Amino acid sequence: MTSIVQRHLFGPGPSNPYPEATEGLARPLLGHLDPAFLTIMDETCDRLRVAWGTDNARTLPLSATGSAGMEAAFVNTVHPGDVVVVAVNGLFGQRMCEVASRCGAEVVPVEHTWGTAIDPERVLAAHPSPKIVAAVHAETSTGVRSDIAALGDAVHASTDALLVVDAVTSIGGIELRADDWGIDVGYAGTQKCLGVAPGLAPFTINDRAFARRVERPQSWYLDLGLLGGYVGEAGAKGGGRTYHHTAPVAMISSLHAGLGRILDEGLENVWARHAAAGQALQDGLEAMGLELFAEKGSRLPDLTTVRVPDGVDSAAVRRTLLERYDIEIGGGAGEFAASVWRIGLMGPNARPDAVALLLAALAETLGR
C-alpha cells in the first residue's frame, strides 16, 4: 500500500488547503440538482462576489481549473479578427496571447521585461482601437503584481475595449476590486490563496462584456450563455435552472467552506496576513544574502521569486527540501527555470511559523 505523504506546499501552487476546505470536500455527496446543493452553489457564488469585489450576477465557479477560466474568458469574448492587446510580463501573459490567437484574434503583445510590472501607457499605445485589453494581475511566473486599477482607468478612459484580467494568484491573497478597477472579465483558480484544492475556476463577467459575447462560441462546455442558466446568473436573479453539466459537487462544497473561512476572518485581514508573511519571508531571504528577482515595489507578498546563488544547483536544493523537510518550492519559468526559485506562502501557509520553517530549512540546505 502506498503511504500517505504530507508536504508543506510552499511552491507557486497548489498550496495546502484550509482545514475547512478539506472538511467541505468530505461532506456527504449531494446530487447536482438537489435543492440543498443548489443552496450551497448560490451561496458560493455570493461569496465569490465578495472575493472578486463585484456585484456581477454572472460570477460562478467554472467546473475546471484556472486555465479553463482563461479559455472561457477569450472563447466567449473574441470574435474572429478582433484586436486583442495583451500585456506580457511573464509566462501567463504569453499564454493569454496563445489562447486569444486560437480564438481568431489579431493579437498585439506588449512585451515587458520579466520581473517588472506592466506599463499601462505602453499597453494603451500599442493599438488605437482594441476590442480587448488583457493583463495578468499577479504573474505567477515572476512574482510580480501589476497595477490593474491604473490599467482599468486608462483602458476605459480612452477606448471602448473590454478589460480581461487573470487573477489566479491574487484572489484571496491581495487586494482585488473588480468593479472599482473596471475589470469586465476575470478568471482565477482555487488552488492558491483561496486555500482550496485545484479543480475550479472562479469566474466573473459583467453585463457590458456579456452583451458583446460570442453568441455561439466554439466551446460548448465553456459557453457562458448556457452556463448562466444553471449557475451564477440563475441563482443571482432567482430564475429557473436549466441543466448544463454535472457539477463537481464535492469541489464546490469545499470552495464554499474555504470561502466561508476567509470571510469569517475578514477579507482585508486575510490580505494583511499575506502581506505580513510575504514581507517577513523576503526580509529573511535578503538577510540570508539572497537576491530577490521581482522589482522592488511590485513584489507579490504571496509568491516570492528569488535568484538561485551562483554555483548552487537549483534542482538539488529543491530535492533536499522535499526529501529532508517535506517542503516543496518551485523552480522558475521559461529561461529562468534553473536560475530562480518561486516560493509561495498562500492561504493557510501565510503565517509566521511557515516563514520560520522555510527560512530555517533553506539556510541549513544552503549552509548559511
Side-chain angles (χ1 to χ4, degrees):
M1 179 181 290
T2 303
S3 60
I4 296 174
V5 177
Q6 185 167 337
R7 305 289 198 196
H8 302 283
L9 299 179
F10 297 158
S15 69
N16 295 102
Y18 286 112
E20 293 84 351
T22 300
E23 187 275 332
L25 199 60
R27 290 174 186 170
L29 205 62
L30 298 170
H32 68 286
L33 293 174
D34 187 311
F37 170 69
L38 294 176
T39 297
I40 292 172
M41 172 72 88
D42 290 345
E43 289 180 357
T44 301
C45 294
D46 288 340
R47 292 173 180 186
L48 281 177
R49 289 183 186 94
V50 178
W52 273 108
T54 186
D55 292 325
N56 292 340
R58 299 174 188 89
T59 302
L60 66 155
L62 294 178
S63 301
T65 60
S67 293
M70 182 186 295
E71 294 266 8
F74 289 108
V75 79
N76 282 279
T77 59
V78 175
H79 299 78
D82 280 356
V83 174
V84 177
V85 172
V86 181
V88 179
N89 65 337
L91 175 65
F92 291 94
Q94 290 180 337
R95 192 166 295 177
M96 279 181 155
C97 294
E98 174 68 15
V99 173
S101 69
R102 291 184 182 215
C103 295
E106 178 189 333
V107 177
V108 180
V110 184
E111 301 286 351
H112 296 69
T113 301
W114 285 32
T116 67
I118 64 172
D119 179 346
E121 292 185 5
R122 283 188 54 220
V123 174
L124 265 293
H127 195 278
S129 56
K131 293 292 186 182
I132 294 170
V133 174
V136 179
H137 183 203
E139 178 51 78
T140 313
S141 64
T142 62
V144 167
R145 166 173 32 194
S146 288
D147 189 344
I148 297 300
L151 179 63
D153 287 345
V155 168
H156 296 307
S158 58
T159 77
D160 192 39
L162 299 176
L163 178 60
V164 174
V165 171
D166 176 324
V168 171
T169 303
S170 56
I171 193 169
I174 63 174
E175 183 179 14
L176 176 62
R177 303 186 189 276
D179 288 355
D180 290 348
W181 296 353
I183 297 172
D184 295 294
V185 183
Y187 61 87
T190 50
Q191 72 275 17
K192 297 180 189 283
C193 296
L194 290 180
V196 178
L200 295 173
F203 191 92
T204 192
I205 181 170
N206 63 19
D207 290 343
R208 176 172 177 264
F210 191 74
R212 300 188 194 181
R213 75 188 187 282
V214 177
E215 289 290 340
R216 194 169 183 269
Q218 57 185 299
S219 172
W220 177 90
Y221 187 66
L222 297 174
D223 183 339
L224 294 173
L226 298 177
L227 284 168
Y230 171 60
V231 63
E233 178 184 4
K237 296 187 175 181
R241 309 278 180 169
T242 57
Y243 169 72
H244 182 263
H245 70 283
T246 301
V249 292
M251 276 300 307
I252 291 167
S253 178
S254 181
L255 176 60
H256 177 268
L259 287 167
R261 160 68 176 77
I262 289 170
L263 297 184
D264 283 346
E265 182 177 349
L267 189 56
E268 294 195 1
N269 293 331
V270 173
W271 294 343
R273 175 164 56 80
H274 281 80
Q279 189 62 59
L281 173 64
Q282 291 166 15
D283 289 347
L285 292 170
E286 290 188 314
M288 204 184 298
L290 299 176
E291 179 185 357
L292 302 183
F293 176 76
E295 66 176 345
K296 191 171 184 178
S298 299
R299 292 169 184 160
L300 284 171
D302 49 311
L303 181 61
T304 295
T305 46
V306 55
R307 295 185 185 275
V308 178
D310 291 342
V312 171
D313 184 331
S314 170
V317 169
R318 291 171 55 215
R319 185 167 55 250
T320 298
L321 290 173
L322 192 67
E323 294 175 352
R324 185 178 298 173
Y325 304 102
D326 285 318
I327 290 175
E328 176 184 281
I329 67 171
E335 66 178 284
F336 302 102
S339 60
V340 166
W341 288 315
R342 292 183 293 163
I343 304 174
L345 293 177
M346 298 183 276
N349 293 336
R351 60 182 198 266
D353 60 318
V355 175
L357 171 63
L358 179 57
L359 289 174
L362 186 58
E364 183 169 311
T365 302
L366 292 175
R368 299 194 179 197

